[in-house]
C-alpha cells in the first residue's frame, strides 16, 4: 500500500487546475520568474475580449475573426514549427528565450481559438434545424462537453504541457527511440486523444447553444489541427525518433 502525504495530495489536487489553465493558454507550471507577467497578459487579454464582445459578436465580424484566428493559429504554427520560424527565432533570441516567446504567443492563440467559437455561437445562436429537439441538443451537448473536456485534460496531463505546446518540435532535436513515445493513459486507446476525442467539447458547446455555425467552426478548427499533424507533426516524429 502506498501512503500519500498531505503535500503530495495537495500537489495532485492542484495539478488539474494547472493543466486546465495551461491548455487554455496560461502556463503556470514553468518557473516562477515570469508567472506574474503571464498571468497579467492572460487577464488583460480576457478583459479585452469582454470589452470587444459587442463588436465581435456581429455576424460579419465574428466570421472574419474566426477565419483570421484559424489562419494565424494553424498557418503560424506550421510556419514556426514546420518552416523557418523557429530557427529564425532561436538565431535571434537564443533557444530558451525564443521558446518562451513562442510559448506565450501560442497561449494567446489558444485563447483566441476558444473565443472565436464563442463569438460565432453568440452571433449565430439558435440556428439548428427546428427538427432537432431542444432536449436532444442539450443532452448531446452536455455529454460531448464532458467527454471532450475529460479526454483533453487526461491527455494533456499524461503527455505533459510541454508536449501540448510542441516543445520537442520547437527544439528540433533527436529524441530517442520509439519506446519513449507516450503510450499511457488515453494513448493506450487512441493515437491522438487531444486532437480526436479531446475536441468533442467544442461540438458539445455548439450543440448546447443550438448553433449550426458553431458546429462548423468546431469542425474547421479540428480539420486545421489534423492538417498540422499530417503536414508537420507526424513527419517530425518520424524524423526525430530513432526506430529500433
Amino acid at each position: 500500500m502506498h501512503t500519500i502525504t498531505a503535500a503530495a495530495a495537495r500537489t495532485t489536487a492542484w495539478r488539474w487546475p494547472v493543466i486546465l489553465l495551461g491548455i487554455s493558454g496560461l502556463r503556470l507550471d514553468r518557473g516562477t520568474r515570469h508567472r506574474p507577467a503571464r498571468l497579467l497578459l492572460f487577464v488583460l487579454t480576457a478583459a479585452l475580449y469582454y470589452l470587444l464582445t459587442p463588436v465581435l459578436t456581429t455576424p460579419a465580424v465574428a466570421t472574419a475573426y474566426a477565419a483570421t484566428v484559424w489562419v494565424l493559429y494553424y498557418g503560424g504554427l506550421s510556419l514556426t514549427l514546420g518552416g523557418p520560424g523557429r530557427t529564425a527565432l532561436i538565431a535571434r533570441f537564443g533557444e530558451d528565450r525564443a521558446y518562451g516567446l513562442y510559448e506565450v504567443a501560442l497561449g494567446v492563440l489558444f485563447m483566441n481559438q476558444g473565443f472565436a467559437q464563442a463569438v460565432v455561437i453568440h452571433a449565430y445562436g439558435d440556428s439548428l434545424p427546428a427538427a432537432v429537439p431542444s432536449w436532444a441538443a442539450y443532452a448531446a451537448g452536455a455529454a460531448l462537453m464532458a467527454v471532450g473536456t475529460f479526454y483533453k485534460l487526461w491527455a494533456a496531463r499524461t503527455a505533459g504541457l510541454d508536449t501540448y505546446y510542441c516543445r520537442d518540435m520547437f527544439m528540433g532535436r533527436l529524441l530517442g527511440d520509439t519506446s519513449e513515445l507516450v503510450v499511457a493513459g488515453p494513448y493506450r486507446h487512441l493515437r491522438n486523444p487531444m486532437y480526436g476525442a479531446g475536441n468533442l467539447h467544442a461540438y458539445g458547446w455548439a450543440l448546447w447553444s443550438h448553433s449550426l455555425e458553431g458546429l462548423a467552426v468546431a469542425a474547421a478548427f479540428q480539420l486545421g489541427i489534423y492538417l498540422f499533424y499530417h503536414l508537420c507533426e507526424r513527419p517530425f516524429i518520424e524524423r526525430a525518433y530513432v526506430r529500433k
Side-chain angles (χ1 to χ4, degrees):
M1 178 181 294
H2 296 283
T3 301
I4 300 177
T5 65
R10 287 194 296 270
T11 300
T12 300
W14 276 104
R15 186 64 177 166
W16 291 106
V18 168
I19 293 293
L20 178 60
L21 286 171
I23 66 177
S24 301
L26 174 62
R27 291 199 66 173
L28 297 177
D29 61 312
R30 283 171 47 82
T32 58
R33 181 181 176 187
H34 299 295
R35 282 181 186 173
R38 289 170 183 259
L39 182 58
L40 179 62
L41 177 62
F42 188 85
V43 171
L44 289 177
T45 303
L48 181 62
Y49 290 158
Y50 177 78
L51 292 174
L52 293 178
T53 294
V55 175
L56 292 174
T57 51
T58 58
V61 176
T63 301
Y65 171 63
T68 301
V69 172
W70 194 98
V71 171
L72 290 175
Y73 183 14
Y74 299 111
L77 197 61
S78 298
L79 287 175
T80 300
L81 299 180
R86 69 174 193 85
T87 53
L89 282 172
I90 291 172
R92 175 67 177 83
F93 298 105
E95 197 170 73
D96 290 339
R97 189 180 176 196
Y99 177 73
L101 292 171
Y102 150 83
E103 184 183 67
V104 170
L106 185 56
V108 171
L109 285 174
F110 285 156
M111 292 184 69
N112 274 275
Q113 181 186 4
F115 198 71
Q117 186 181 20
V119 297
V120 168
I121 285 174
H122 192 284
Y124 298 98
D126 297 320
S127 57
L128 280 181
V132 179
S134 291
W135 66 265
Y138 284 128
L144 289 175
M145 282 191 285
V147 171
T149 302
F150 171 75
Y151 266 96
K152 181 79 79 173
L153 286 169
W154 190 18
R157 191 182 191 281
T158 301
L161 285 174
D162 276 341
T163 297
Y164 193 85
Y165 280 74
C166 302
R167 179 182 174 88
D168 288 340
M169 289 187 68
F170 188 88
M171 297 306 181
R173 298 193 186 98
L174 190 67
L175 302 176
D177 64 77
T178 53
S179 65
E180 296 177 15
L181 288 168
V182 177
V183 292
Y187 293 91
R188 291 176 296 179
H189 315 292
L190 300 170
R191 177 175 292 182
N192 290 302
M194 287 187 192
Y195 301 161
N199 279 321
L200 291 178
H201 73 284
Y203 296 96
W205 186 11
L207 279 174
W208 180 272
S209 305
H210 298 73
S211 176
L212 188 62
E213 289 78 7
L215 289 171
V217 169
F221 275 94
Q222 188 169 29
L223 173 63
I225 199 62
Y226 272 113
L227 286 173
F228 167 75
Y229 171 74
H230 286 290
L231 294 176
C232 299
E233 186 174 359
R234 186 174 179 179
F236 165 76
I237 292 172
E238 292 175 348
R239 292 193 308 270
Y241 286 92
V242 180
R243 296 186 178 275
K244 291 186 177 181

XYZ file of all heavy atoms in Angstrom, residues 98-172:
564
model
N 13.683 32.220 -27.055
C 12.856 32.027 -28.249
C 11.671 31.121 -27.945
O 10.536 31.403 -28.354
C 13.693 31.432 -29.384
N 11.934 30.031 -27.199
C 10.835 29.144 -26.853
C 9.835 29.852 -25.943
O 8.617 29.670 -26.078
C 11.334 27.873 -26.170
C 10.179 26.984 -25.745
C 9.447 26.281 -26.690
C 9.803 26.908 -24.403
C 8.366 25.493 -26.311
C 8.721 26.133 -24.014
C 8.016 25.423 -24.971
O 6.927 24.662 -24.597
N 10.308 30.662 -25.013
C 9.415 31.399 -24.129
C 8.495 32.334 -24.902
O 7.293 32.415 -24.627
N 9.045 33.041 -25.894
C 8.239 33.946 -26.707
C 7.213 33.161 -27.531
O 6.042 33.553 -27.627
C 9.142 34.761 -27.629
C 10.062 35.778 -26.939
C 11.049 36.347 -27.938
C 9.237 36.893 -26.305
N 7.674 32.068 -28.115
C 6.768 31.214 -28.897
C 5.643 30.669 -28.025
O 4.474 30.659 -28.421
C 7.570 30.070 -29.525
C 6.797 28.795 -29.731
C 5.987 28.624 -30.845
C 6.877 27.750 -28.798
C 5.269 27.442 -31.032
C 6.172 26.581 -28.978
C 5.370 26.432 -30.092
O 4.656 25.270 -30.269
N 5.986 30.245 -26.830
C 5.020 29.646 -25.919
C 3.938 30.647 -25.522
O 2.738 30.314 -25.485
C 5.756 29.146 -24.677
C 4.900 28.406 -23.677
C 5.727 28.026 -22.461
O 6.156 28.939 -21.713
O 5.955 26.828 -22.281
N 4.335 31.885 -25.242
C 3.369 32.925 -24.885
C 2.461 33.232 -26.078
O 1.233 33.354 -25.936
C 4.084 34.203 -24.405
C 3.100 35.359 -24.270
C 4.778 33.940 -23.072
N 3.054 33.343 -27.268
C 2.258 33.622 -28.468
C 1.264 32.493 -28.738
O 0.092 32.741 -29.078
C 3.181 33.812 -29.670
N 1.703 31.245 -28.556
C 0.813 30.116 -28.770
C -0.307 30.115 -27.736
O -1.458 29.800 -28.055
C 1.603 28.804 -28.702
C 0.826 27.524 -29.026
C 0.178 27.604 -30.407
C 1.749 26.308 -28.953
N 0.010 30.473 -26.493
C -1.017 30.563 -25.467
C -2.093 31.573 -25.827
O -3.290 31.336 -25.632
N -1.681 32.727 -26.372
C -2.651 33.740 -26.798
C -3.524 33.193 -27.930
O -4.737 33.442 -27.972
C -1.928 35.025 -27.244
C -2.904 36.003 -27.885
C -1.232 35.679 -26.053
N -2.936 32.417 -28.822
C -3.718 31.814 -29.901
C -4.691 30.770 -29.364
O -5.809 30.635 -29.879
C -2.786 31.183 -30.934
C -2.057 32.168 -31.849
C -1.052 31.442 -32.732
C -3.060 32.924 -32.719
N -4.292 30.023 -28.331
C -5.229 29.088 -27.693
C -6.443 29.843 -27.166
O -7.585 29.402 -27.319
C -4.544 28.349 -26.540
C -3.577 27.280 -26.969
C -2.544 26.891 -26.116
C -3.688 26.660 -28.192
C -1.654 25.894 -26.494
C -2.795 25.674 -28.591
C -1.779 25.286 -27.738
N -6.193 30.979 -26.518
C -7.300 31.789 -26.012
C -8.187 32.278 -27.151
O -9.417 32.235 -27.077
C -6.766 32.989 -25.232
C -6.070 32.660 -23.935
S -5.584 34.161 -23.031
C -7.182 34.804 -22.549
N -7.577 32.739 -28.220
C -8.334 33.239 -29.361
C -9.165 32.154 -30.020
O -10.271 32.406 -30.507
C -7.379 33.847 -30.389
C -7.057 35.290 -30.089
O -7.787 36.190 -30.475
N -5.958 35.515 -29.378
N -8.639 30.919 -30.048
C -9.397 29.821 -30.650
C -10.721 29.615 -29.908
O -11.781 29.492 -30.522
C -8.582 28.534 -30.640
C -9.322 27.362 -31.272
C -8.557 26.059 -31.132
O -7.509 26.008 -30.495
N -9.082 25.002 -31.710
N -10.646 29.555 -28.576
C -11.861 29.376 -27.798
C -12.808 30.553 -27.943
O -14.027 30.365 -28.087
N -12.265 31.772 -27.943
C -13.122 32.943 -28.041
C -13.734 33.067 -29.433
O -14.851 33.570 -29.584
C -12.336 34.203 -27.697
C -13.216 35.369 -27.346
C -13.919 35.372 -26.151
C -13.355 36.446 -28.201
C -14.743 36.434 -25.812
C -14.175 37.514 -27.873
C -14.872 37.514 -26.678
N -13.015 32.591 -30.458
C -13.557 32.638 -31.818
C -14.840 31.820 -31.915
O -15.827 32.267 -32.515
C -12.526 32.126 -32.823
N -14.825 30.623 -31.321
C -16.049 29.833 -31.357
C -17.139 30.500 -30.530
O -18.314 30.488 -30.912
C -15.810 28.411 -30.847
C -17.059 27.544 -31.032
C -16.889 26.139 -30.528
O -16.014 25.850 -29.727
N -17.744 25.241 -30.995
N -16.763 31.115 -29.416
C -17.750 31.770 -28.557
C -18.476 32.892 -29.293
O -19.709 32.997 -29.209
C -17.074 32.313 -27.298
N -17.731 33.732 -30.020
C -18.388 34.858 -30.693
C -19.232 34.384 -31.865
O -20.271 34.971 -32.166
C -17.363 35.931 -31.137
C -16.665 36.532 -29.931
C -16.350 35.375 -32.127
N -18.789 33.318 -32.542
C -19.607 32.770 -33.636
C -20.910 32.208 -33.084
O -21.992 32.426 -33.649
C -18.825 31.700 -34.421
C -19.758 30.919 -35.350
C -17.706 32.339 -35.227
N -20.817 31.471 -31.976
C -22.025 30.918 -31.350
C -22.961 32.048 -30.934
O -24.180 31.975 -31.123
C -21.644 30.047 -30.143
C -21.062 28.713 -30.625
C -22.848 29.803 -29.242
C -20.521 27.843 -29.506
N -22.389 33.118 -30.373
C -23.205 34.254 -29.939
C -23.855 34.939 -31.144
O -25.025 35.357 -31.085
C -22.336 35.243 -29.165
C -23.108 36.290 -28.433
N -23.686 37.369 -29.071
C -23.401 36.440 -27.105
C -24.298 38.139 -28.185
N -24.143 37.599 -26.984
N -23.099 35.064 -32.233
C -23.619 35.761 -33.414
C -24.651 34.934 -34.173
O -25.561 35.491 -34.792
C -22.463 36.126 -34.347
N -24.488 33.627 -34.125
C -25.383 32.749 -34.878
C -26.074 31.755 -33.943
O -26.078 30.550 -34.196
C -24.609 31.976 -35.942
C -23.953 32.836 -37.001
C -22.597 33.175 -36.899
C -24.660 33.292 -38.095
C -21.975 33.945 -37.875
C -24.039 34.064 -39.075
C -22.708 34.389 -38.960
O -22.099 35.146 -39.926
N -26.629 32.238 -32.868
C -27.301 31.346 -31.925
C -28.632 30.837 -32.446
O -29.244 31.434 -33.350
N -29.082 29.711 -31.901
C -30.381 29.125 -32.237
C -30.575 28.927 -33.739
O -31.624 29.257 -34.299
C -31.517 29.990 -31.682
C -31.500 30.059 -30.169
O -31.231 29.023 -29.536
O -31.740 31.153 -29.627
N -29.554 28.385 -34.384
C -29.638 28.177 -35.832
C -29.731 26.711 -36.220
O -29.719 26.386 -37.412
C -28.415 28.808 -36.517
O -27.202 28.273 -35.991
N -29.812 25.817 -35.229
C -30.007 24.407 -35.560
C -31.370 24.217 -36.214
O -32.326 24.951 -35.909
C -29.928 23.547 -34.301
C -28.560 23.187 -33.743
C -28.718 22.306 -32.509
C -27.693 22.483 -34.775
N -31.506 23.242 -37.124
C -32.812 22.975 -37.729
C -33.873 22.714 -36.667
O -33.588 22.107 -35.624
C -32.554 21.730 -38.581
C -31.090 21.771 -38.878
C -30.445 22.379 -37.667
N -35.080 23.174 -36.928
C -36.164 23.022 -35.960
C -36.476 21.562 -35.672
O -37.064 21.240 -34.630
C -37.418 23.729 -36.481
N -36.071 20.676 -36.589
C -36.341 19.251 -36.398
C -35.533 18.648 -35.254
O -35.853 17.559 -34.774
C -36.056 18.487 -37.689
N -34.463 19.341 -34.823
C -33.641 18.846 -33.718
C -34.287 19.284 -32.411
O -34.341 20.479 -32.111
C -32.202 19.389 -33.800
C -31.380 18.873 -32.629
C -31.560 19.014 -35.118
N -34.791 18.372 -31.601
C -35.431 18.755 -30.337
C -34.438 19.425 -29.399
O -33.257 19.061 -29.355
C -35.910 17.413 -29.755
C -35.869 16.449 -30.893
C -34.790 16.925 -31.808
N -34.912 20.394 -28.648
C -34.037 21.105 -27.715
C -33.434 20.162 -26.683
O -32.244 20.265 -26.351
C -34.821 22.214 -27.004
O -35.153 23.235 -27.909
N -34.245 19.222 -26.190
C -33.742 18.310 -25.161
C -32.603 17.461 -25.700
O -31.643 17.170 -24.976
C -34.869 17.406 -24.633
C -35.413 16.435 -25.646
C -36.497 16.603 -26.446
C -34.878 15.144 -25.970
N -36.696 15.507 -27.262
C -35.711 14.591 -26.978
C -33.784 14.396 -25.509
C -35.477 13.333 -27.540
C -33.557 13.151 -26.060
C -34.391 12.622 -27.059
N -32.687 17.078 -27.009
C -31.626 16.266 -27.613
C -30.342 17.078 -27.769
O -29.230 16.569 -27.543
C -32.081 15.738 -28.966
N -30.487 18.355 -28.149
C -29.310 19.214 -28.295
C -28.623 19.429 -26.951
O -27.390 19.372 -26.847
C -29.706 20.553 -28.906
N -29.419 19.650 -25.913
C -28.842 19.850 -24.581
C -28.163 18.568 -24.074
O -27.060 18.607 -23.527
C -29.926 20.275 -23.593
C -30.349 21.714 -23.737
C -31.688 22.064 -23.871
C -29.412 22.747 -23.728
C -32.080 23.393 -24.001
C -29.785 24.074 -23.858
C -31.127 24.387 -23.997
O -31.499 25.699 -24.124
N -28.836 17.438 -24.259
C -28.283 16.178 -23.761
C -27.006 15.804 -24.497
O -25.989 15.449 -23.882
C -29.324 15.062 -23.902
N -27.046 15.876 -25.834
C -25.859 15.540 -26.626
C -24.740 16.536 -26.373
O -23.559 16.165 -26.273
C -26.211 15.509 -28.113
N -25.093 17.818 -26.244
C -24.083 18.836 -25.985
C -23.389 18.634 -24.656
O -22.162 18.718 -24.563
N -24.173 18.351 -23.619
C -23.585 18.130 -22.292
C -22.668 16.911 -22.292
O -21.571 16.945 -21.717
C -24.698 17.954 -21.258
N -23.105 15.847 -22.955
C -22.295 14.622 -22.999
C -20.981 14.854 -23.745
O -19.902 14.438 -23.284
C -23.093 13.500 -23.668
N -21.054 15.539 -24.883
C -19.834 15.786 -25.665
C -18.884 16.734 -24.931
O -17.667 16.551 -24.972
C -20.198 16.366 -27.029
C -20.861 15.396 -28.009
C -21.280 16.125 -29.278
C -19.918 14.241 -28.358
N -19.429 17.738 -24.261
C -18.564 18.648 -23.494
C -17.856 17.902 -22.367
O -16.662 18.112 -22.123
C -19.385 19.811 -22.937
C -19.709 20.882 -23.956
S -20.404 22.398 -23.205
C -22.064 21.841 -22.819
N -18.586 17.021 -21.691
C -17.986 16.274 -20.580
C -16.899 15.328 -21.085
O -15.784 15.291 -20.545
C -19.068 15.496 -19.835
N -17.206 14.568 -22.138
C -16.243 13.599 -22.677
C -15.025 14.313 -23.256
O -13.870 13.933 -23.004
C -16.910 12.712 -23.746
C -15.863 11.849 -24.461
C -17.973 11.831 -23.110
N -15.257 15.357 -24.037
C -14.151 16.075 -24.661
C -13.227 16.724 -23.648
O -12.000 16.641 -23.761
N -13.815 17.390 -22.643
C -13.001 18.038 -21.609
C -12.196 17.003 -20.825
O -11.009 17.216 -20.527
C -13.895 18.846 -20.656
O -14.623 19.823 -21.409
C -13.058 19.544 -19.595
N -12.838 15.891 -20.500
C -12.144 14.827 -19.764
C -10.951 14.317 -20.554
O -9.835 14.210 -20.018
C -13.112 13.679 -19.474
C -12.444 12.445 -18.919
C -12.002 12.405 -17.607
C -12.232 11.333 -19.721
C -11.365 11.281 -17.101
C -11.604 10.201 -19.226
C -11.167 10.178 -17.904
N -11.145 14.008 -21.844
C -10.048 13.466 -22.647
C -8.951 14.496 -22.877
O -7.763 14.159 -22.883
C -10.579 12.943 -23.981
C -10.882 11.462 -23.948
C -12.165 11.005 -23.712
C -9.878 10.525 -24.137
C -12.451 9.649 -23.663
C -10.137 9.166 -24.096
C -11.428 8.736 -23.856
O -11.690 7.392 -23.799
N -9.340 15.759 -23.081
C -8.330 16.802 -23.293
C -7.438 16.937 -22.058
O -6.206 16.988 -22.160
C -9.020 18.131 -23.605
C -8.077 19.278 -23.876
C -7.501 19.232 -25.282
C -8.485 19.743 -26.283
N -7.897 19.860 -27.627
N -8.062 16.997 -20.882
C -7.303 17.128 -19.643
C -6.466 15.881 -19.375
O -5.299 15.972 -18.966
C -8.250 17.378 -18.476
C -8.868 18.776 -18.377
C -9.982 18.796 -17.333
C -7.810 19.807 -18.044
N -7.046 14.715 -19.568
C -6.355 13.453 -19.326
C -5.137 13.328 -20.236
O -4.031 12.973 -19.791
C -7.329 12.300 -19.541
C -6.832 10.947 -19.100
C -5.810 10.667 -18.254
C -7.370 9.676 -19.496
N -5.667 9.308 -18.100
C -6.610 8.685 -18.841
C -8.427 9.298 -20.327
C -6.866 7.319 -19.023
C -8.691 7.947 -20.496
C -7.915 6.961 -19.843
N -5.324 13.643 -21.516
C -4.219 13.542 -22.474
C -3.125 14.555 -22.157
O -1.927 14.236 -22.191
C -4.736 13.744 -23.897
N -3.518 15.800 -21.823
C -2.518 16.827 -21.517
C -1.762 16.494 -20.241
O -0.551 16.735 -20.144
C -3.203 18.187 -21.382
N -2.461 15.935 -19.251
C -1.787 15.563 -18.009
C -0.844 14.384 -18.238
O 0.242 14.327 -17.652
C -2.809 15.210 -16.929
C -2.190 15.077 -15.538
C -3.225 14.689 -14.499
N -2.719 14.816 -13.141
C -1.920 13.938 -12.543
N -1.545 12.851 -13.200
N -1.487 14.130 -11.311
N -1.241 13.442 -19.078
C -0.409 12.270 -19.341
C 0.843 12.631 -20.123
O 1.957 12.236 -19.771
C -1.213 11.207 -20.115
O -2.367 10.826 -19.354
C -0.367 9.973 -20.400
N 0.679 13.389 -21.192
C 1.814 13.734 -22.061
C 2.605 14.919 -21.532
O 3.801 15.042 -21.804
C 1.307 14.038 -23.469
N 1.950 15.795 -20.764
C 2.616 16.978 -20.235
C 2.340 18.205 -21.090
O 2.106 18.106 -22.295
N 2.366 19.373 -20.460
C 2.084 20.604 -21.189
C 3.174 20.951 -22.197
O 2.915 21.629 -23.190
C 1.877 21.764 -20.209
C 0.534 21.762 -19.479
C 0.496 22.873 -18.428
C -0.627 21.918 -20.451
N 4.404 20.490 -21.962
C 5.449 20.718 -22.963
C 5.078 20.053 -24.286
O 5.319 20.610 -25.363
C 6.799 20.185 -22.468
C 7.525 21.176 -21.577
O 7.178 22.378 -21.622
O 8.430 20.751 -20.843
N 4.501 18.866 -24.209
C 4.048 18.185 -25.418
C 2.874 18.929 -26.029
O 2.784 19.089 -27.253
C 3.642 16.736 -25.102
O 4.792 16.030 -24.632
C 3.079 16.030 -26.327
N 1.956 19.409 -25.174
C 0.792 20.148 -25.665
C 1.233 21.397 -26.430
O 0.602 21.792 -27.415
C -0.093 20.538 -24.478
C -1.452 21.035 -24.859
C -2.506 20.156 -25.095
C -1.707 22.404 -24.976
C -3.767 20.618 -25.445
C -2.967 22.866 -25.320
C -3.987 21.968 -25.553
O -5.233 22.433 -25.899
N 2.318 22.025 -25.980
C 2.839 23.225 -26.635
C 3.921 22.897 -27.675
O 4.584 23.802 -28.169
C 3.398 24.189 -25.596
C 2.345 25.011 -24.883
C 1.524 24.437 -23.923
C 2.175 26.368 -25.166
C 0.554 25.188 -23.264
C 1.214 27.129 -24.510
C 0.400 26.529 -23.557
O -0.563 27.269 -22.910
N 4.109 21.632 -27.980
C 5.036 21.185 -29.042
C 6.474 21.635 -28.785
O 7.180 22.083 -29.699
C 4.584 21.677 -30.410
S 2.931 21.142 -30.883
N 6.923 21.514 -27.547
C 8.280 21.941 -27.210
C 9.324 21.141 -27.992
O 10.305 21.712 -28.495
C 8.530 21.788 -25.708
C 9.937 22.200 -25.278
C 10.158 21.991 -23.786
N 11.528 22.245 -23.417
C 12.013 23.447 -23.073
N 11.215 24.494 -23.049
N 13.279 23.598 -22.745
N 9.134 19.821 -28.107
C 10.110 18.993 -28.827
C 10.257 19.451 -30.272
O 11.366 19.498 -30.812
C 9.681 17.521 -28.798
C 9.857 16.912 -27.418
O 10.634 17.468 -26.620
O 9.216 15.882 -27.138
N 9.132 19.779 -30.906
C 9.195 20.243 -32.284
C 9.932 21.561 -32.388
O 10.686 21.803 -33.330
C 7.785 20.385 -32.861
C 7.075 19.085 -33.128
S 5.510 19.346 -33.990
C 6.083 19.917 -35.594
N 9.701 22.447 -31.415
C 10.374 23.742 -31.460
C 11.884 23.572 -31.299
O 12.663 24.224 -32.000
C 9.839 24.662 -30.364
C 10.345 26.071 -30.470
C 9.687 27.006 -31.249
C 11.503 26.462 -29.803
C 10.162 28.300 -31.366
C 11.991 27.748 -29.910
C 11.322 28.677 -30.689
N 12.296 22.692 -30.395
C 13.726 22.471 -30.182
C 14.346 21.699 -31.343
O 15.523 21.870 -31.649
C 13.957 21.726 -28.865
C 13.512 22.498 -27.623
S 14.266 24.144 -27.548
C 13.583 24.757 -26.010
N 13.578 20.812 -31.958
C 14.029 20.129 -33.160
C 15.163 19.153 -32.976
O 15.975 18.958 -33.879
